[in-house]
Amino acid sequence: ILGAMDDASRLDPIAARLQWRRRARKHPPDFLRAAVDRGLLERLEPMRIEPETILVASCGQSSALLTLAQRFDRAALLGAEDDARALVRWRDCFEPRPSGWLARLRRSRRSSATRLLAADPLALPLGPGSVDLVLSALQLHACPQPARQLAEWLRILRPGGLLSFACFGVDTLSELRGLDRKSTRLNS
């Protein structure tokens, strides 16, 4: 799979990353990203895991942070994003203003720390074997070096930890490509 991604990918990784950043700063997660996040989270349901530390890679557009914070309320939650400006909306969720009863309520509901990291995804500022669960939705296909990205996730993953990711594959959205070909023939 990685070989096919490295060789056959027609995505410009730099352009994909720039588009990713623009969307993460301005918009909530789009329907496709939210659906992929839900799918990854649903796959965790039957697993009997109690991670101590969870990393959500490229969390700027992910809707998974809040769900993971609720489900694994004792785990330390880490959100990593290479664009610090994309982390602003998550800081507002996890670091509420210090005054007011609602802020105190939010603080008391969350028993563990949530850290947001502005970091290079290929060189995360985490020690080897420091994370129990790594979750990534739709990041790997935009990475210029997917094999290095996987190696970095495996480096920070504890033995027996879980890596759960989703990315576009060769046949992703093939139905839409078929529709595009049909509409081209009709317009000719």
Side-chain angles (χ1 to χ4, degrees):
I1 292 174
L2 287 179
M5 286 176 67
D6 284 336
D7 298 335
S9 176
R10 291 186 297 235
L11 279 177
D12 177 357
I14 295 170
R17 204 65 212 145
L18 289 173
Q19 181 182 19
W20 190 274
R21 284 181 178 178
R22 278 194 304 272
R23 287 184 181 192
R25 285 184 209 139
K26 294 181 181 179
H27 306 290
D30 60 58
F31 77 95
L32 180 61
R33 176 70 187 253
V36 172
D37 282 345
R38 275 193 310 276
L40 284 172
L41 294 168
E42 285 172 6
R43 284 173 183 78
L44 293 177
E45 286 297 323
M47 297 182 192
R48 302 233 188 269
I49 57 172
E50 286 299 323
E52 293 177 21
T53 307
I54 302 169
L55 172 73
V56 178
S58 193
C59 69
Q61 280 194 293
S62 178
S63 58
L65 278 172
L66 292 175
T67 304
L68 288 168
Q70 292 168 350
R71 176 160 179 215
F72 301 109
D73 63 343
R74 302 234 187 276
L77 186 60
L78 305 171
E81 176 64 55
D82 68 346
D83 181 16
R85 291 183 287 180
L87 294 174
V88 170
R89 80 182 180 107
W90 291 120
R91 281 204 177 89
D92 292 342
C93 289
F94 289 111
E95 298 170 12
R97 307 237 184 274
S99 64
W101 68 271
L102 188 57
R104 286 192 299 276
L105 179 64
R106 281 187 188 158
R107 237 190 340 264
S108 68
R109 287 179 56 206
R110 183 81 179 116
S111 62
S112 65
T114 300
R115 285 182 32 217
L116 300 171
L117 310 169
D120 177 359
L122 299 177
L124 294 166
L126 301 169
S130 59
V131 176
D132 298 298
L133 171 61
V134 175
L135 190 89
S136 173
L138 303 181
Q139 177 196 8
L140 201 57
H141 68 277
C143 183
Q145 298 171 317
R148 265 191 69 201
Q149 182 63 77
L150 282 172
E152 179 63 5
W153 289 337
L154 293 174
R155 180 189 71 81
I156 64 169
L157 204 57
R158 283 192 181 115
L162 177 64
L163 168 60
S164 181
F165 69 93
C167 61
F168 293 130
V170 177
D171 290 330
T172 301
L173 305 175
S174 59
E175 297 87 2
L176 292 179
R177 282 193 293 276
L179 285 175
D180 184 47
R181 282 189 293 266
K182 286 180 184 177
S183 69
T184 304
R185 277 186 260 140
L186 290 173
N187 292 332
S188 300

